[in-house]
Amino acid sequence: MTAKVTLSFSDDTIEEARRFAKREGLSLSAWMDQAAREKALREVFTAHADAVNRAGFDLETAAVADAREVAMVDDVLFGGRPRAA
């Protein structure tokens, strides 16, 4: 499913995005979609790491134990599709 939206970016931002998209062989839309998804994942995992730290758990041990949570987040964000590398 795809939603069409109108967005505004600074000239510098859009030029950089176009350059990165071209370098990666993606359309600007695909690159922006991937960038937004990656940002969402960073937000989710940063919040999780903060919660783990507040609880006093060892982050390395918690990361190993969280493989199921990673799969659930992937499923929500990517709908069962593999995420972009």
Side-chain angles (χ1 to χ4, degrees), residues 22-68:
K22 183 177 181 180
R23 186 184 72 190
E24 294 180 25
L26 296 171
S27 69
L28 179 59
S29 291
W31 190 86
M32 295 297 270
D33 182 67
Q34 179 179 322
R37 287 178 181 277
E38 289 173 4
K39 174 67 174 167
L41 278 174
R42 282 192 302 275
E43 293 289 327
V44 167
F45 287 111
T46 297
H48 177 73
D50 290 345
V52 168
N53 279 332
R54 282 192 306 274
F57 293 117
D58 173 44
L59 277 178
E60 190 171 332
T61 301
V64 170
D66 286 340
R68 283 186 1 180

Side-chain angles (χ1 to χ4, degrees), residues 60-75:
E60 190 171 332
T61 301
V64 170
D66 286 340
R68 283 186 1 180
E69 185 171 341
V70 170
M72 288 188 304
V73 169
D74 279 353
D75 189 49

